[in-house]
Amino acid sequence: MVEMRKPIPVADAVRLVMEHAMPLGTEMIDLEQVYGRVLAEPIIAKHDVPPFDRSPYDGFAIRSLDSAGAAGDNRVSLTVIGEIGAGYVGDKPIGEKEAYRIMTGAQIPENADAVVMLEQAIEMDGGFTLRKPFEAGENISYKGEDAKEGELLIETGSLVHPGTIALLATFGYAQVKVAKRPVAGILSTGTELLEVEDELVPGKIRNSNGPMIKGQLNRMGIAYRSYGMAADDLDACTSIVEQAIAESDFLITTGGVSVGDYDHLPAIYERLGAEVLFNKVAMRPGSVTTVAVLGNKLLFGLSGNPSACFTGFELFTRPAILAMMGGTAPFMPRMTAKLGEDFTKPNPFTRFIRATWTFTEAGIEAVPAGFNKSNAVSSIARGNCLIVLPSGTRGYGMGDEIDILLLGSEQGVSEWTL
Amino acid sequence: MVEMRKPIPVADAVRLVMEHAMPLGTEMIDLEQVYGRVLAEPIIAKHDVPPFDRSPYDGFAIRSLDSAGAAGDNRVSLTVIGEIGAGYVGDKPIGEKEAYRIMTGAQIPENADAVVMLEQAIEMDGGFTLRKPFEAGENISYKGEDAKEGELLIETGSLVHPGTIALLATFGYAQVKVAKRPVAGILSTGTELLEVEDELVPGKIRNSNGPMIKGQLNRMGIAYRSYGMAADDLDACTSIVEQAIAESDFLITTGGVSVGDYDHLPAIYERLGAEVLFNKVAMRPGSVTTVAVLGNKLLFGLSGNPSACFTGFELFTRPAILAMMGGTAPFMPRMTAKLGEDFTKPNPFTRFIRATWTFTEAGIEAVPAGFNKSNAVSSIARGNCLIVLPSGTRGYGMGDEIDILLLGSEQGVSEWTL
C-alpha cells in the first residue's frame, strides 16, 4: 500500500520548523573569534565618540579670535609653539597668536577652537600666515558628536560581520557575549551509498549529500558530528539515529523519507516517539522532506535526491540553525528578476530552480542552471540563487518576472515572504 | 609643504591592483577542506550519470511487451519474482509476465525496459495488475542521460560552494586540486592606537581597523599573521613592514598613508624600493588609499579611517585575494536600487556609502546606514551593500535609481563595471 501524505504549503512548513528552533543559551568569546556569530548583548557606546575634541585634518590648531580680520591683503601671522601628532596631547595651552601644528585624529589643545587645514595656511619660518578668518568650531570634531556614552548602537540578535567587529573594538569589547552555536549530527542513509573514495560497483552511487551538507554547515561556521552512512536496516539505523540525537543539538539525515519499502525514517521517528511536524511539502524538488521534533531537538529528514537535499537544507535547516544561534534575520534575501529562458512545465507544487542571477542593463535576469539536459548534473554546482515559481501556475516565458532567493548571502532577512 | 597627489579613477585603481594579483600555485586537499577554495582543475564526469539504468520511482520493473493491451476492463497480471532495493541488483533476468518490485534509485534488472509506479499498479498476493500498457523506456532513467563520461562539468577557477562539493563527491574526488591561498600580513599604524582591552587615555583611541580586517579575512577563509600595532616611527615601522613582507604573501597596513608629518608609509615604500601603483583614488571615503608592489607582493596601504579602511579592503584587497586564490569572479555583484533617502552632498569623487538594501513591492530600495549623525558610528556595523554615486554628480533625491554593490556575497562577478 502506498501511504497517502497530505502536502503542506512551504510557508507553513517554514513556520512549523521555526516555531521549534530554540536558542541554546549564551557564552563569552574573544573578539577574534566573533565573526559570524550572533550578538547576545547589544553594543552600547561605552564612551563618547570621538572621546575628545579632535582635528579631522592635518593643519594648525588656533584660537579663532586670532584670525579675526585676516584677508588676502591683511595676512595674520601666527607662531607655532609645538606639534601634536595623533596619540599625543599638547603640553601647554596656546596663547595670543600662537598655534600648534596638529595631525588628523589628534586631540585639540587647550584654548584652541579651530583648525586651519595645511592647504589654508602659508608656512614660513616658525609659523604661518592666514588670509581668511576662522570661526569658533571650524574644522573640529567635537567629543560625543558621533555617539554619546550609553547610546545603544547595535541590537541583540545581530549577526557579527567585519564592521560589527570594528565597533566592538572601538568600545573595548575584548570579550563578547554571543549566542551559542548548535552542533549538528549528520547521517546519510541508503544501502546504495559508497564512500567518496570507493570505486563504483553495480547498483551503487557515491554519497554526495553527506559532503554537501558538511559544506552547507561549513559555510555557516557550524560544527558537526558525522555518523557516516547507514544501510537501510531499521534496527541498526534506529540505534545510530538515537545515538546521534543524544550527542547533537539537531540531526540531519538524508534519504529514507519517501514511502518506499526501505524508507525507514518514518518508522524510526515513530519508534523514538518523535513528533513529525510534516512529512510532505508542496514543493519540487523535495516534497518528501520531513521534519520531526524529539524533546527540544529538530530532526531534519532531507530527501536523498541531491537537489532536493540542498534545497531542503537552505529552506528549513539553515534558518532554524540561525534561529538557534540567536539570529533575527534567518531567511534568504528575496528579489525579483526576469526569467532568462522559457520554463514550460506546470507547477502543481511550488518549484525551486537553481539559477544564476546577473545584472544587465535591462535589470536583474535569472537563468536556470540546469534546464538543458546536458547540465542537469552540474546544475547543483552552479548558480547563486533559487528561482521560486508558485504552486498552481502553468508555465513561464522568457522575460516574465519571477521571484528569486539569494544563496550564499551573509545578511538575511527577518521574514519568509513567499 | 603639502604633497600634491593626482587622484586616479576607481576603475583604474582596481585594474592596476588586479594586474599585479598573481596566483600562487596549486595544492591537493581533502574534499572535507574544500569549501570556499577555488578549483585548479575542472570537474570532469568520471563516469556516466546515472552510472546505470535506474528507476526514478518506487514501483515494479517490467518488460513493456507484457503490458500490451492492458486496460481497465482487461487487466494484465504480473508475478513479482523479487525485490531490488537501492544499492542492490536483481540476481536473475525477468521472464514473461514477471516483474521485480524496485525502489527509487535501484538498478533496472536484466530484460526490464519500463517501470510501473506503485500508484499505477494494483497489488495482490504475489504480484499486481495493470490497467494500461507501458512503453519501452517508460519511467527509466538511462545510464549517461544526465552526464556522459569525460564531459567537462565545472571550469577551473570556480569557487567551491556546497553544490560543487556534491558534484566532486559524485565523481570520487576525495582529493581536489585547488589554488593555494595567500597568507596575509596585517599591521596597524598610529601612535594614537590602543589595544582593544586597554582603558582610554587622553588623545588615544582603540585600534578597530586591525580586528575589522581580521574579520574581513576570516570571512574569506584567509589566514593572516598579525604584526600588531606600530607607533609612527619611521625606522621601527620600516623594519616591521620589511619583516611582514618577507613572511606574508601580501601586506595590509592601516593608517600612515596621508600626507601628514607622521604618515610614514610613503617613505617606507620608497626605502624598500616598492613601486607605488597609486596613492590617491578619486573616491570618498578612502582617497588616500595607496597600493604598492614589491617583487610579486602587493602592499595595501589602507586609510586609518574605519569606513575608508573597510571600503578599501572590499574594493581592492578582496578581489586581489580572490585572484591570488585563482578565482575568476572576484568582484562584488552589482545591481540598481531606488535611493531610500535624499543625499544632497555633491560628489566630486566617486562616493561609497554603507547601506541596507531591502526588497519592497516597488522594487529594491537602498537606505544609507549612516546619514543621520546619530548613527554615524554604528553605520560601519550596519548594512549589506555599498551605494555607489559617480564622481561629478551633484545630489540625489529619494527614489532616484542608484548603483549598489553587494557585501558578503559568496558568488562574485568577473568584471568591475563601475
Side-chain angles (χ1 to χ4, degrees):
Chain A
M1 281 300 297
V2 183
E3 177 197 344
M4 290 307 294
R5 296 178 177 178
K6 187 173 154 42
I8 66 169
V10 176
D12 290 355
V14 168
R15 183 181 47 72
L16 279 169
V17 170
M18 297 307 280
E19 281 173 7
H20 290 85
M22 294 299 150
L24 299 171
T26 65
E27 61 185 331
M28 298 296 293
I29 61 169
D30 288 346
L31 184 64
E32 295 232 342
Q33 311 303 322
V34 83
Y35 171 71
R37 300 297 292 266
V38 173
L39 293 177
E41 60 178 338
I43 305 181
I44 306 283
K46 296 201 181 167
H47 53 73
D48 287 349
V49 177
F52 43 81
D53 298 348
R54 73 181 167 197
S55 175
Y57 301 113
D58 297 324
F60 299 97
I62 65 167
R63 308 187 317 166
S64 58
L65 62 90
D66 289 335
S67 69
D73 56 0
N74 181 31
R75 292 196 176 174
V76 171
S77 292
L78 286 94
T79 307
V80 172
I81 61 166
E83 191 172 69
I84 312 175
Y88 293 97
V89 289
D91 51 3
K92 49 186 179 290
I94 59 175
E96 192 179 341
K97 295 284 163 85
E98 288 181 344
Y100 269 102
R101 189 172 170 93
I102 193 166
M103 296 298 124
T104 305
Q107 184 166 338
I108 303 295
E110 205 175 326
N111 288 355
D113 65 356
V115 168
V116 177
M117 294 162 72
L118 282 186
E119 51 270 44
Q120 295 174 320
I122 294 148
E123 291 189 69
M124 41 174 249
D125 206 34
F128 58 95
T129 63
L130 295 178
R131 48 185 176 189
K132 83 168 199 72
F134 284 75
E135 286 171 30
E138 200 165 339
N139 295 334
I140 289 187
S141 297
Y142 281 107
K143 179 173 190 286
E145 74 174 22
D146 290 343
K148 293 276 182 224
E149 184 176 341
E151 223 174 272
L152 187 152
L153 300 175
I154 298 289
E155 301 75 15
T156 295
S158 301
L159 187 77
V160 174
H161 55 69
T164 324
I165 295 172
L167 204 61
L168 288 163
T170 296
F171 293 109
Y173 287 79
Q175 296 261 312
V176 188
K177 188 177 177 185
V178 296
K180 283 186 182 164
R181 279 186 298 206
V183 174
I186 310 177
L187 173 68
S188 302
T189 76
T191 304
E192 75 276 23
L193 299 180
L194 300 169
E195 299 283 359
V196 172
E197 52 274 22
D198 289 343
E199 286 299 311
L200 281 194
V201 295
K204 303 221 174 194
I205 57 171
R206 296 191 187 90
N207 176 19
S208 60
N209 288 329
M212 178 176 71
I213 284 173
K214 291 176 188 173
Q216 286 172 297
L217 292 168
N218 278 338
R219 168 149 78 179
M220 302 180 69
I222 296 295
Y224 54 80
R225 294 172 194 272
S226 176
Y227 295 89
M229 307 190 302
D232 296 320
D233 175 282
L234 179 57
D235 289 337
C237 220
T238 304
S239 90
I240 297 173
V241 166
E242 200 166 11
Q243 183 196 346
I245 293 171
E247 295 175 348
S248 314
D249 293 312
F250 66 99
L251 178 65
I252 302 170
T253 55
T254 65
V257 285
S258 191
V259 293
D261 303 357
Y262 300 100
D263 287 303
H264 294 316
L265 263 300
I268 294 172
Y269 294 143
E270 197 175 325
R271 279 190 182 191
L272 299 179
E275 177 198 353
V276 174
L277 300 181
F278 53 83
N279 60 15
K280 185 137 188 146
V281 186
M283 63 187 255
R284 286 257 149 74
S287 65
V288 297
T289 306
T290 298
V291 178
V293 180
L294 184 60
N296 57 356
K297 295 183 179 176
L298 280 161
L299 315 181
F300 295 94
L302 304 182
S303 166
N305 168 290
S307 289
C309 183
F310 178 90
T311 304
F313 182 98
E314 297 294 321
L315 290 182
F316 305 117
T317 312
R318 183 176 175 280
I321 292 171
L322 287 166
M324 288 185 241
M325 287 172 64
T328 51
F331 299 111
M332 288 178 273
R334 169 187 166 191
M335 57 187 195
T336 52
K338 302 279 181 212
L339 185 61
E341 281 180 16
D342 289 340
F343 183 84
T344 53
K345 289 189 210 174
N347 306 293
F349 284 177
T350 303
R351 196 184 291 274
F352 294 92
I353 304 162
R354 189 68 173 258
T356 299
W357 75 262
T358 51
F359 173 75
T360 72
E361 289 308 322
I364 303 290
E365 183 181 83
V367 178
F371 273 11
N372 303 319
K373 199 70 185 171
S374 69
N375 49 22
V377 162
S378 63
S379 69
I380 196 160
R382 295 185 184 279
N384 51 18
C385 65
L386 292 172
I387 290 174
V388 187
L389 302 181
S391 67
T393 52
R394 286 215 54 81
Y396 285 81
M398 192 167 102
D400 284 353
E401 186 171 276
I402 40 94
D403 287 306
I404 63 176
L405 294 172
L406 305 195
L407 294 169
S409 174
E410 181 181 67
Q411 182 62 42
V413 298
S414 58
E415 300 287 340
W416 175 266
T417 57
L418 284 170
Chain B
M1 282 300 298
V2 184
E3 176 197 345
M4 291 308 294
R5 295 176 177 180
K6 189 176 153 39
I8 66 169
V10 176
D12 290 357
V14 168
R15 184 181 44 73
L16 280 169
V17 170
M18 296 307 281
E19 282 172 6
H20 290 84
M22 293 300 152
L24 300 171
T26 65
E27 60 185 330
M28 297 296 291
I29 62 170
D30 287 347
L31 183 64
E32 295 233 342
Q33 311 303 321
V34 82
Y35 171 70
R37 302 295 294 266
V38 173
L39 292 177
E41 60 178 336
I43 304 181
I44 305 284
K46 294 200 181 167
H47 54 72
D48 286 349
V49 177
F52 43 81
D53 298 348
R54 73 181 168 198
S55 175
Y57 301 114
D58 296 324
F60 298 97
I62 64 167
R63 307 187 317 167
S64 59
L65 62 91
D66 289 334
S67 69
D73 55 0
N74 181 32
R75 292 199 174 172
V76 170
S77 292
L78 286 92
T79 306
V80 172
I81 60 166
E83 192 173 70
I84 312 176
Y88 292 96
V89 289
D91 49 4
K92 50 188 178 287
I94 59 175
E96 192 180 340
K97 297 284 164 87
E98 288 182 342
Y100 268 102
R101 190 171 168 94
I102 192 166
M103 297 299 125
T104 305
Q107 183 167 340
I108 302 295
E110 202 174 329
N111 288 356
D113 64 356
V115 168
V116 176
M117 293 162 73
L118 281 187
E119 51 270 46
Q120 294 173 320
I122 293 148
E123 291 189 69
M124 39 175 250
D125 204 34
F128 59 94
T129 64
L130 296 177
R131 50 186 174 187
K132 84 167 198 74
F134 283 74
E135 285 171 31
E138 200 165 339
N139 295 334
I140 289 186
S141 297
Y142 281 106
K143 181 172 189 284
E145 74 174 21
D146 290 343
K148 294 274 180 225
E149 185 176 340
E151 224 175 89
L152 188 152
L153 299 176
I154 299 290
E155 300 75 15
T156 295
S158 301
L159 187 77
V160 174
H161 55 69
T164 324
I165 295 172
L167 204 61
L168 288 163
T170 296
F171 293 110
Y173 286 79
Q175 295 262 311
V176 186
K177 189 178 179 184
V178 296
K180 284 187 183 163
R181 278 187 298 207
V183 174
I186 311 176
L187 174 68
S188 302
T189 75
T191 303
E192 75 277 22
L193 298 181
L194 299 169
E195 299 284 0
V196 173
E197 53 273 25
D198 289 344
E199 285 300 311
L200 281 194
V201 295
K204 303 221 174 194
I205 57 170
R206 296 192 187 90
N207 176 21
S208 61
N209 288 329
M212 179 176 69
I213 285 174
K214 291 175 188 173
Q216 287 172 295
L217 292 168
N218 278 339
R219 169 149 77 178
M220 302 180 69
I222 295 295
Y224 53 82
R225 294 172 192 273
S226 175
Y227 295 88
M229 306 190 304
D232 296 321
D233 175 283
L234 179 57
D235 288 339
C237 221
T238 304
S239 90
I240 297 173
V241 166
E242 200 165 10
Q243 184 197 346
I245 293 171
E247 295 175 348
S248 313
D249 294 311
F250 67 97
L251 178 66
I252 301 170
T253 55
T254 65
V257 285
S258 192
V259 293
D261 302 358
Y262 300 100
D263 288 302
H264 294 316
L265 263 298
I268 293 171
Y269 294 143
E270 196 174 328
R271 280 189 181 190
L272 299 178
E275 176 198 354
V276 173
L277 301 180
F278 53 82
N279 59 16
K280 185 140 187 143
V281 186
M283 63 188 255
R284 286 257 150 74
S287 65
V288 297
T289 306
T290 298
V291 178
V293 178
L294 184 61
N296 56 355
K297 294 184 180 174
L298 281 161
L299 315 181
F300 295 93
L302 303 182
S303 166
N305 168 289
S307 289
C309 183
F310 177 90
T311 304
F313 182 98
E314 297 294 322
L315 290 182
F316 305 118
T317 312
R318 182 175 176 279
I321 291 171
L322 286 167
M324 287 185 240
M325 286 171 65
T328 51
F331 300 111
M332 287 178 272
R334 169 188 167 192
M335 57 188 194
T336 53
K338 302 280 181 212
L339 186 59
E341 281 180 14
D342 289 341
F343 184 85
T344 52
K345 290 189 208 174
N347 306 293
F349 283 177
T350 303
R351 195 182 291 273
F352 294 91
I353 304 162
R354 190 68 172 256
T356 299
W357 74 263
T358 50
F359 172 75
T360 73
E361 289 306 322
I364 303 289
E365 184 182 82
V367 178
F371 273 11
N372 303 319
K373 199 69 185 170
S374 68
N375 49 21
V377 162
S378 63
S379 69
I380 196 161
R382 294 185 185 277
N384 51 17
C385 66
L386 293 171
I387 290 173
V388 187
L389 302 180
S391 67
T393 52
R394 286 217 53 81
Y396 285 81
M398 191 168 102
D400 284 353
E401 185 171 279
I402 40 94
D403 287 305
I404 63 175
L405 295 171
L406 305 195
L407 294 169
S409 174
E410 180 182 70
Q411 181 63 42
V413 299
S414 58
E415 301 286 341
W416 174 265
T417 56
L418 285 169

